[in-house]
Each structure stands twice: as C-alpha cells, then as structure tokens.
C-alpha cells in the first residue's frame, strides 16, 4: 500500500494556501469603478506619449526665426500699400460679413460641442470596455486553471476506458495510477460547476466572461442587441447550457465511480464478471464521451467567441487535454517508481507512455495546423479575426505554444532511447503541460480580457492552487487501494510486458 509522505502533503497544502491568497488578492486589486480605469488609461497614455511631447516641444523651440521675420515683413508691406479706397472697401465688407461670421461661429461652436460629446461618450464606452476586461482577468485566470486540471483527469478517464475496451495487455499495472488521477474529477467538477453557475447567474457584477450572457444581448430593442448571438439563442441560453454541463459532469463522474468500484470488486471475485461489466460500461462511456466532449468544447470554450466557430474545435481541445493526461500518468508513475513503488512497471511501460506523449503531440499539431491553415488561407473576415487577434496581441503565447507542444517534444521524444530515460521524460512532460496550459490560455483570454492580458498574480496563483489540490487529491487516492490489481485477466501479461 502506498503512503503519502508528509513532505508531499505539506507541499500540496502550501501550494493551495499560496494560490488561494493570490486568487483573493487578484480579485481585491481588480479595478471597481470607471474612475480607476480612466486613471489607468491616462497613466498609460501619458507614458506612451511622453517622448512624443518632448520631441514636439523641441521642434517648437528650434523653429527658425527667419520664418517669423518673413511673416512680419510681409504684413507690414501689405499695410503700407493699402490705399484709402481699399481700406474703405474692407471696412464695408467687414460690416456686411459680421452677421455671417457670427452665424458661422455659432455653427462651429455647436459642431464642436457635439464632437466633444461624441468623444466623451467614446472615451466612456472604451473605459467601460477596459473595466470589464480588467475585472474579467482574475475570473478568466481561475477559469483556465480550473478547466485545465479537470480536463486532465477527464483525459485520463478516457484513456483508462480505451484500455478496458481494447483489452490491452500492457497497461493493467498502471490502472491504479489512472484511477487515482481520475479521483480529482469529482472535486474538479464541483468547483467548475459552481464557477459556471456563478458566471451564468451573474452573482458578481465583475464577471463578464461569456459575451452571449450579457443583458439584452438577444432583445431587439436593447442597445446591446446582437443579431448573430440572438440567432444562436436557442442553443446558447443559460438554462440549456447549464443543463448540458450538469449531464456531462454527472455522466463522467458516474462512469468513474462505477468502473473503479467494479475494478476493486474484481480483486476479490472468483470469476471475471466485474471485468466484463467494466468492458461493456467502458464501451458505452466512450460513445457518451465522444459526443459530450465535442459539445463541452463548444459550450465551455468556443462560446467565448460566439461569432466564430470551427468544425475541428472539439477534436483540437481533445488532443490538447488528452496528451496532457497521458503526460500526467507518466510523471506520476515515474514519481512512484522513484519512491520504490510499482515494482512491476518497467522501462517498456514507460516507453509506451512516452510514445503516446510523442504521438499525441504530433496529433495536436496536425489539428492545430489544419484549423489555422484553412482559416488563414481562406481569409474570411469573420473567421480569420480569431487568429489575427491572437497573432497580433498574443504573439508570444501563440507561437510559444507551438514550440512547446510540437517542436520541443518532436526534438526530444523522437529518439527511442530517450523515451526510457526518466529525467528526460520528466523534463519533456513539464514543458508539455506548461505548453498546453498556455494553449488553453490562448483559447480563453483573448475573448475575455482582450489586450489587457499578462501573466500576473491571478494566473500564477490559480495554477498553484489547482496544482496543489490536484496533488493532494491524487496522492491521497493512491493510499486507498493496493497499487497493483490482483485479478485482472491481463495482469500477468502486464507484469511481464517487455520488448
């Protein structure tokens, strides 16, 4: 039986504490009023234009004196050459045009007043928009970290179900590791569902994550009316949206609970009844998972950009969290091996996990390029805007994700020998997990915080909190059952798996 060390438990608790403090700090320091945002914008503009102002002042001081002298000489010459008739004519014209001049002045004043009002209104609207973005920042950071860790556990659950249905002979010695990682799914699901409820029910005025949830967005008489979103309101409405979320989360957790129960019962059984039950249950779950995963990706991520859609998006999200899940299995397994557990896990098992890490990194890249290339090449404005925003405003994380999720794994894990070397696998795993967190960051942040993004306290603290919670739940679950299944029909094959 595995026993969680005090050091690991303490580390997890410290991560959660630091993360929670940082999350609270992020919410408390977010701007609350338009005045605060206007001050931030003014300070930003002042810094940005300070250098330009200095240059303009220098030009004004250095203006050639000859120009002013020339203007003065010209004026004196014109006055000296005027005769009495011209002066009289000018006086008469001036008298006649006085009324017209006054009228023009009034019109200009009125136009200037209207322009000033319009400018003030535009500034106020911009400030309100920036306020919503800055208020969204801690919410979006919390959302990204929450969904990322929850989907890692879901990906492990799907991988476990695939092993069951495929009747794989190599993986049963890893089943307890997979089941422990999926133990986070109920915890993560509850937190995530609460976050969805808080967002959809507008319990906090600072939460503006989903644009299609804005008040009056589907009402024709409203100033916020959006025709495209109104056309999707039959699907994108809170009641239907939260109902789908409840069904998906309950379905995933129900399979997780029953399959683990059957797996533990199989250890004490005299036949393969519980194994066969799990086989049928896993086959049904995978059908449910394929459908629910695609819809989940539309509901919880793609709907941040309700004017945009991609038919590849469900697969793309799946590839991202699935390779993260396999990487997590590998890293937890290597940790347990380093502590003297999992004696039947050998380098061949690790090699297979590394092959999955490498293969699904390439699969993610294939989907990333397919989605990007087709949209970018077609250059349809309402589609290409999605990538244009990310390339222009999120340049570093956008291209950084490609390097971390494809270039690095390709260069490191393509070598067969490296797939068996623990330090290399752990290093590659850390990069892959960080890269796919950034991938989720790229999917969520542009639509929620716009150009107000940066990796700050809220983002780091959210990751720390959920990482600590994940470690605590997973390694506590490992202590609940023996690390090696006893009566799985393929357990002996798995123990002696070698190539």
């Amino acid at each position: 039986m595995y026993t969680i060390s005090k050091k690991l438990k303490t580390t997890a608790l410290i991560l959660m504490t630091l993360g929670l403090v940082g999350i609270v700090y992020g919410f408390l320091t977010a701007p609350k009023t338009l005045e605060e945002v206007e001050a931030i914008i003014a300070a930003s503009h002042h810094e940005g234009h300070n250098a330009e102002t200095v240059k303009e002042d220098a030009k004004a001081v250095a203006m050639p004196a000859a120009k002013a002298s020339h203007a003065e000489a010209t004026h004196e010459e014109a006055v000296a050459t005027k005769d009495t008739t011209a002066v009289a004519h000018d006086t008469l014209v001036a008298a006649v045009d006085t009324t017209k001049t006054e009228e023009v002045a009034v019109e200009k004043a009125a136009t200037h007043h209207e322009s000033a009002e319009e400018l003030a209104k535009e500034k106020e609207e911009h400030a309100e928009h920036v306020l919503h973005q800055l208020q969204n920042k801690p919410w979006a950071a919390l959302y990204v970290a929450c969904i990322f860790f929850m989907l890692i556990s879901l990906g492990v659950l799907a991988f476990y179900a695939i092993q069951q249905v495929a009747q794989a002979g190599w993986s049963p010695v890893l089943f307890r590791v997979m089941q422990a990682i999926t133990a986070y799914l109920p915890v993560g699901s509850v937190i995530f569902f609460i976050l969805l409820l808080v967002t959809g029910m507008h319990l906090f005025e600072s939460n503006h994550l989903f644009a299609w949830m804005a008040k009056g967005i589907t009402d024709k008489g409203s100033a916020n009316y959006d025709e495209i979103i109104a056309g999707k309101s039959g699907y994108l409405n809170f009641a239907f949206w939260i109902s789908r979320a409840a069904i998906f989360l309950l379905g995933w957790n129900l399979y997780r609970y029953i399959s683990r129960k059957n797996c533990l019962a199989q250890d004490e059984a005299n036949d393969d009844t519980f194994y066969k039950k799990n086989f049928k249950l896993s086959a049904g779950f995978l059908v449910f998972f394929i459908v629910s995963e695609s819809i989940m990706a539309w509901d919880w991520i793609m709907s941040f950009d309700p004017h945009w859609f991609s038919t590849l998006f469900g697969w793309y999200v799946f590839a991202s969290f699935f390779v993260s899940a396999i990487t997590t299995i590998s890293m937890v397994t290597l940790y347990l091996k380093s502590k003297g557990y999992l004696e039947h896990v050998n380098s061949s098992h690790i090699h297979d996990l590394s092959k999955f890490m490498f293969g699904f990194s390439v699969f993610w890249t294939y989907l990333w390029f397919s989605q990007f290339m087709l949209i970018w090449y077609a250059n349809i404005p309402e589609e290409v805007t999605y990538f244009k925003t990310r390339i222009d405003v999120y340049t570093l994380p956008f291209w950084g994700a490609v390097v971390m999720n494809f270039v690095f794994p390709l260069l490191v894990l393509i070598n067969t020998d490296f797939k068996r070397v623990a330090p290399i696998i752990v290093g590659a795993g850390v990069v892959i997990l960080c890269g796919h967190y950034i991938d989720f960051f790229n999917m969520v942040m542009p639509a929620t915080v716009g150009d107000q993004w940066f990796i700050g306290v809220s983002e780091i603290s959210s990751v720390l909190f959920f990482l600590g919670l994940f470690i605590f739940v997973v390694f506590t679950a490992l202590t609940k059952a023996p690390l090696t299944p006893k009566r799985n029909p393929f357990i002996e094959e798995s123990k002696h798996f070698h190539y």
Side-chain angles (χ1 to χ4, degrees):
M1 292 287 289
Y2 170 75
T3 303
I4 186 172
S5 66
K6 291 183 179 179
K7 184 177 180 181
L8 185 62
K9 185 182 291 186
T10 303
T11 300
L13 293 174
I14 290 173
L15 289 174
M16 282 190 284
T17 303
L18 290 175
L20 189 60
V21 171
I23 290 170
V24 173
Y25 174 82
F27 280 104
L28 292 177
T29 55
K32 307 296 188 298
T33 63
L34 286 176
E35 289 73 16
E36 293 181 48
V37 174
E38 288 170 353
I40 294 172
I41 295 173
S44 176
H45 285 177
H46 177 72
E47 292 176 2
H49 294 295
N50 189 43
E52 294 181 8
T53 303
V54 171
K55 289 180 180 179
E56 290 175 1
D57 290 344
K59 287 181 180 179
V61 172
M63 182 180 292
K67 189 174 180 180
S69 300
H70 175 72
E72 184 178 353
T74 302
H75 174 71
E76 290 175 355
E77 183 180 349
V79 172
T81 56
K82 279 187 178 182
D83 56 16
T84 306
T85 305
V87 173
H89 175 72
D90 291 344
T91 304
L92 178 62
V93 170
V96 172
D97 289 343
T98 300
T99 305
K100 291 183 179 180
T101 304
E102 291 177 354
E103 292 176 357
V104 171
V106 171
E107 290 178 1
K108 287 184 177 180
T111 304
H112 177 73
H113 180 68
E114 291 175 0
S115 300
E117 286 184 346
E118 291 177 359
L119 183 61
K121 185 178 180 181
E122 289 178 2
K123 286 184 177 180
E124 184 178 351
E125 290 176 351
H126 175 65
E128 185 175 0
H129 182 63
V130 173
L131 174 63
H132 288 173
Q133 290 178 332
L134 292 175
Q135 288 181 335
N136 271 342
K137 194 171 181 295
W139 288 107
L142 187 66
Y143 190 96
V144 172
C146 182
I147 194 172
F148 179 67
F149 283 95
M150 185 190 73
L151 290 183
I152 285 177
S153 63
L154 176 63
V156 173
L157 186 65
F159 188 73
Y160 170 77
I162 291 170
Q163 303 306 307
Q164 294 277 5
V165 173
Q167 296 183 334
W170 72 277
S171 55
V173 292
L174 299 172
F175 278 1
R176 291 292 189 260
V177 174
M178 299 182 197
Q179 290 169 358
I181 296 173
T182 62
Y184 178 80
L185 185 60
V187 179
S189 297
V190 170
I191 298 174
F192 185 70
F193 190 72
I194 292 173
L195 184 55
L196 294 182
L197 283 175
V198 168
T199 301
M201 297 176 69
H202 304 289
L203 296 183
F204 294 90
E205 292 183 1
S206 60
N207 190 326
H208 312 279
L209 287 179
F210 291 91
W212 60 268
M213 290 184 180
K215 294 179 180 179
I217 200 81
T218 58
D219 300 332
K220 282 190 175 181
S222 172
N224 291 333
Y225 178 70
D226 188 303
E227 185 177 359
I228 294 177
I229 296 177
K232 299 180 180 182
S233 60
Y235 180 82
L236 284 182
N237 62 81
F238 175 69
F240 193 22
W241 179 78
I242 200 67
S243 299
R244 292 193 299 271
I247 292 170
F248 298 159
L249 293 172
L250 285 173
W252 300 337
N253 282 282
L254 188 62
Y255 167 73
R256 185 259 162 197
Y257 172 78
I258 298 175
S259 64
R260 175 173 169 80
K261 184 179 178 182
N262 287 339
C263 188
L264 294 176
Q266 181 64 35
D267 286 356
E268 309 300 329
N270 297 319
D271 54 24
D272 295 334
T273 301
F274 292 103
Y275 175 81
K276 293 176 181 178
K277 287 182 178 179
N278 257 0
F279 174 84
K280 295 176 181 178
L281 182 66
S282 298
F285 166 75
L286 287 176
V287 175
F288 175 75
F289 171 78
I290 291 170
V291 176
S292 60
E293 186 278 329
S294 290
I295 300 174
M296 169 273 294
W298 307 336
D299 285 359
W300 300 344
I301 302 177
M302 193 166 71
S303 71
F304 282 118
D305 297 272
H307 290 184
W308 179 85
F309 66 89
S310 168
T311 53
L312 269 178
F313 197 77
W315 283 106
Y316 176 77
V317 173
F318 165 76
S320 189
F321 73 74
F322 197 64
V323 69
S324 301
I326 296 170
T327 301
T328 303
I329 295 172
S330 181
M331 295 182 72
V332 172
T333 301
L334 288 172
Y335 173 81
L336 292 173
K337 283 288 292 179
S338 70
K339 298 300 180 182
Y341 299 97
L342 299 178
E343 65 274 12
H344 298 294
V345 174
N346 56 49
S347 62
S348 295
H349 296 101
I350 302 302
H351 187 269
D352 273 13
L353 288 172
S354 300
K355 285 194 293 186
F356 278 114
M357 290 166 60
F358 173 76
F360 277 96
S361 292
V362 175
F363 179 60
W364 173 88
T365 309
Y366 161 71
L367 293 174
W368 180 92
F369 181 74
S370 298
Q371 182 174 256
F372 170 72
M373 184 270 294
L374 291 174
I375 292 175
W376 192 259
Y377 182 77
N379 201 25
I380 300 173
E382 57 267 30
E383 293 183 354
V384 78
T385 300
Y386 181 87
F387 287 106
K388 183 67 174 171
T389 301
R390 284 155 177 79
I391 291 173
D392 290 347
V393 183
Y394 289 74
T395 307
L396 182 60
F398 182 78
W399 296 114
V402 178
V403 174
M404 297 174 74
N405 296 331
F406 171 61
V407 177
F408 185 84
L410 179 70
L411 295 177
V412 174
L413 296 178
I414 197 170
N415 187 299
T416 299
D417 295 333
F418 286 177
K419 292 185 179 74
R420 298 174 185 266
V421 181
I424 294 176
I425 297 170
V426 171
V430 170
V431 173
I432 289 172
L433 290 175
C434 292
H436 284 285
Y437 166 79
I438 293 174
D439 187 31
F440 274 83
F441 184 90
N442 290 336
M443 286 189 262
V444 175
M445 289 294 182
T448 55
V449 304
D451 59 357
Q452 303 299 318
W453 76 275
F454 58 90
I455 304 294
V457 174
S458 295
E459 289 76 14
I460 295 172
S461 299
S462 297
V463 171
L464 291 179
F465 173 77
F466 285 105
L467 175 61
L469 182 62
F470 187 85
I471 292 173
F472 183 82
V473 172
V474 169
F475 285 92
T476 299
L478 284 168
T479 66
K480 304 298 182 183
L483 294 183
T484 303
K486 295 178 182 178
R487 287 208 71 262
N488 185 287
F490 296 96
I491 189 64
E492 291 302 319
E493 179 182 345
S494 183
K495 287 179 180 178
H496 297 90
F497 178 69
H498 183 77
Y499 63 92

